[in-house]
Amino acid sequence: MMKRSVLSRLLFVCVIPSFVVFAADLPEHPRDLTYPELSFTMPDVSRTALDNGLLIYFREDHNLPVLDFYAIIRVGAIYDPLDKMGLASLTGEVMRTGGTREQTGEQIDEILEFIGASVESSIEQERGIARMGCLSKDLDTVLPIFAEILMQPEFRQEKIDLCKKEVLESIRRRNDQPGDIVEREFQRIVYGDHPYARPVEGEANTVVAIQRQDLIDFHRRYYVPNNIILGIAGDFDTTEMSARLKDKFGSWERRDVPFPDLPDLPDESVPEGGVFYFPKDLTQSNIRMGHLGIRRTDEDYIPVRIMNFILGGGSFSSRMMSGVRSNEGLAYSVYSQFEPKRDRGLFIAHAETKSESTLRAITLMKNEIRRICEEPVSEQELSTAKDSFLNQFVFHFTTTRNIVEQRVELEYEGLPEDYLDTFCDKVSKVTRDDILRVAKKWLHPDSLRIVIVGNAENFDGALSDLGAVHEMTIRDYAAEVDSALKP
C-alpha cells in the first residue's frame, strides 16, 4: 500500500510540470484554437456486372471475419395497382417469412439463428431492400438462402394470411397517434392523387383483395437481375466472390421491366396554400406545414440542405428551434426538412405545442420561413452550417458496410459517380447569396399548406387568421377494416 502511494505521488509530480508547460501554450479562448486541415480520401469500391445485368459493388475488409450484402431493387409501393394497394409491402415481407421452395420461413429462421446470421427483405415506397449478414465462414450456408429468397420465394399461403392480418390491424390503429395523422394527411393534401400520397401498407379493402398469385406476379415482374444493384462488404476475396455470385445468380434470366406510367405531380408553380384542420380532442396540437420540395438529383440540393440547416434542420442552432423553443418555450421539438424523392419530395416544417399556443407557434415558424427568403443569413450561421456538413461527412464512411451502401445508393439514385468526391468542395463553395437564391426559389411562405390536428376550442385565436380554412374529417379506419372483413 505504501509503495503504491509513493509511486502515485511521484507520477503526479512528474505529470504536473509537463501539463503546466502544455497549458501555457494554449490560447486564451477555445475559439482561437487551430487545427490541421482535415484530409479525407474517398475509399475505393470496385464495380462489375454479370452478363444478365446484375450490378455488383465490392469492397474487401479483412479486419473482422464478417460479410454484409445489401441489395436495392427498383420497385416500390408507387407501382401498386389502385385496387391492390399494399401489394408491394406485402410481397417484400412474405418473400422472407414465406420461405423458399426447399425451406419454410421457420426452418430458415432456425438455421440463421443458430449461426448468428440474418437475411431480410422489404419493399418501401420507392425501393425494395434485401440484406444479408453472416460470418465469412458461413457464406456457403447463408448465400444460397439469400439467393433463393431473391429469385424463388415460395409465398406460402399461411404467411400471406398472417401478414394481411397484421397489416389490417396496423390500419385499424392508424388514428392512435396524432403525429401519424398529421403526417399522413399532409402527404395526401400536398400530393393529391399521386401514388406518393398513398400509404405503403395500402387500404383495408385493397389488402383484403390481394391473393397469392398477385404476389407471385408482382415479384416476377420486378425481381430480375438487371433491376437489382448489389453491394458486398467484408472478409472475402473479390475474384472468388465474383465466381460464387456468377454461380448463384448467373443463370437468372434477364428481362425488361414494364414499369407503369406514373401520373404527373400536382402543378405547383404557384402552390395553393390554406389551413386544413382535423378536429381531435387533444391538449396539444400537431402541426405540419409545407409544400412540394426538391428532387434528390437537382443541382440546388446541396445549398438547399445547408439553407434548411439554418432554418430548422440544425437542431438547437436552427432559427426555428431558437425562436419557438429556446426563446418562447412553445415546443419541445420544432424542425424543418426537405424530404427528397426520385421526383419532387416535400418541404416540411413540424411542431407540437399546447393548444393555447397553436397560432403563435405557427406564426413564428412562418416568420422564419419568410425571413430566410427575404434577407441574407449571417456569416456565422453559414459557417456553422457548412462546418457541420463537412465535419459529419467522414462519419458516413465509418465502416466498410457504410462505404459500399453509399455507392449502391448513388447508383440507384442516378447521381454522378464523383458525387461523394466533390461533395465537400461543393459545400465549401456555398455562399450567402446561394442561400438567399435557393430560399426564394424553393420556399413559398405565402402558399404553405398548414395541417393541424387538435382542439380548436382552446386555440389562441381564429384559424382564419392564417388563411382559408378547410375543416376536415378523420377517417374511421377501424370501421373500414370491419367493413372490408365482412363476408
Side-chain angles (χ1 to χ4, degrees), residues 195-371:
Y196 282 159
R198 304 172 193 164
V200 172
E201 67 271 22
E203 301 291 1
N205 61 326
T206 62
V207 171
V208 169
I210 295 171
Q211 303 297 318
R212 179 173 182 268
Q213 190 61 46
D214 296 321
L215 278 70
I216 294 171
D217 294 343
F218 191 88
H219 172 269
R220 177 173 173 76
R221 178 172 186 165
Y222 295 104
Y223 279 74
V224 293
N226 47 298
N227 199 38
I228 298 176
I229 307 167
L230 175 63
I232 305 169
D235 182 29
F236 64 90
D237 175 80
T238 299
T239 301
E240 181 182 335
M241 182 63 75
S242 297
R244 287 175 182 266
L245 295 177
K246 186 175 182 180
D247 177 62
K248 289 297 178 188
F249 296 106
S251 60
W252 197 4
E253 181 185 357
R254 178 189 185 115
R255 294 193 311 274
D256 292 334
V257 180
F259 291 100
D261 293 329
L262 297 178
D264 293 332
L265 288 170
D267 180 14
E268 280 210 357
S269 52
V270 180
E272 180 183 351
V275 179
F276 300 83
Y277 167 59
F278 291 83
K280 194 170 179 64
D281 188 15
L282 301 168
T283 58
Q284 70 174 15
S285 298
N286 277 258
I287 303 161
R288 181 163 289 209
M289 64 179 77
H291 44 63
L292 286 182
I294 192 170
R295 292 177 179 84
R296 178 75 171 83
T297 53
D298 196 286
E299 61 183 8
D300 284 338
Y301 183 66
I302 289 176
V304 161
R305 287 185 63 193
I306 296 173
M307 178 270 291
N308 182 69
F309 183 95
I310 297 169
L311 174 63
S315 188
F316 286 96
S317 66
S318 74
R319 290 180 174 185
M320 282 190 181
M321 182 67 86
S322 297
V324 179
R325 171 176 165 154
S326 301
N327 295 344
E328 300 216 12
L330 300 184
Y332 179 78
S333 174
V334 55
Y335 64 85
S336 67
Q337 68 181 50
F338 278 84
E339 181 183 275
K341 295 183 183 294
R342 294 187 64 82
D343 206 323
R344 291 185 66 181
L346 295 171
F347 165 66
I348 298 166
H350 180 89
E352 297 173 21
T353 188
K354 62 182 183 292
S355 300
E356 294 79 5
S357 57
T358 300
L359 271 70
R360 177 60 178 164
I362 292 172
T363 300
L364 289 171
M365 294 165 71
K366 288 182 67 176
N367 288 346
E368 292 300 350
I369 296 171
R370 186 181 307 281
R371 181 161 74 100

Side-chain angles (χ1 to χ4, degrees), residues 108-250:
I108 291 174
D109 291 340
E110 187 175 344
I111 293 169
L112 297 179
E113 289 171 7
F114 183 75
I115 59 177
S118 65
V119 173
E120 304 165 4
S121 74
S122 62
I123 299 179
E124 303 167 357
Q125 188 175 62
E126 291 189 293
R127 62 178 60 191
I129 300 291
R131 293 183 181 275
M132 167 188 141
C134 68
L135 294 173
S136 48
K137 70 179 181 64
D138 296 320
L139 178 63
D140 289 337
T141 300
V142 184
L143 181 57
I145 295 173
F146 179 74
E148 287 178 38
I149 284 174
L150 275 177
M151 296 188 294
Q152 297 176 320
E154 183 59 19
F155 297 116
R156 286 177 169 80
Q157 186 64 52
E158 65 270 19
K159 294 301 180 182
I160 297 174
D161 294 340
L162 176 60
C163 191
K164 287 170 69 171
K165 288 179 182 178
E166 293 171 348
V167 171
L168 289 170
E169 183 59 26
S170 71
I171 293 174
R172 183 189 296 277
R173 304 182 68 86
R174 274 182 182 165
N175 296 333
D176 285 4
Q177 299 297 325
D180 294 339
I181 299 173
V182 75
E183 178 182 358
R184 177 184 72 238
E185 297 300 337
F186 177 78
Q187 289 196 142
R188 185 178 61 82
I189 288 166
V190 175
Y191 281 128
D193 294 330
H194 193 274
Y196 282 159
R198 304 172 193 164
V200 172
E201 67 271 22
E203 301 291 1
N205 61 326
T206 62
V207 171
V208 169
I210 295 171
Q211 303 297 318
R212 179 173 182 268
Q213 190 61 46
D214 296 321
L215 278 70
I216 294 171
D217 294 343
F218 191 88
H219 172 269
R220 177 173 173 76
R221 178 172 186 165
Y222 295 104
Y223 279 74
V224 293
N226 47 298
N227 199 38
I228 298 176
I229 307 167
L230 175 63
I232 305 169
D235 182 29
F236 64 90
D237 175 80
T238 299
T239 301
E240 181 182 335
M241 182 63 75
S242 297
R244 287 175 182 266
L245 295 177
K246 186 175 182 180
D247 177 62
K248 289 297 178 188
F249 296 106

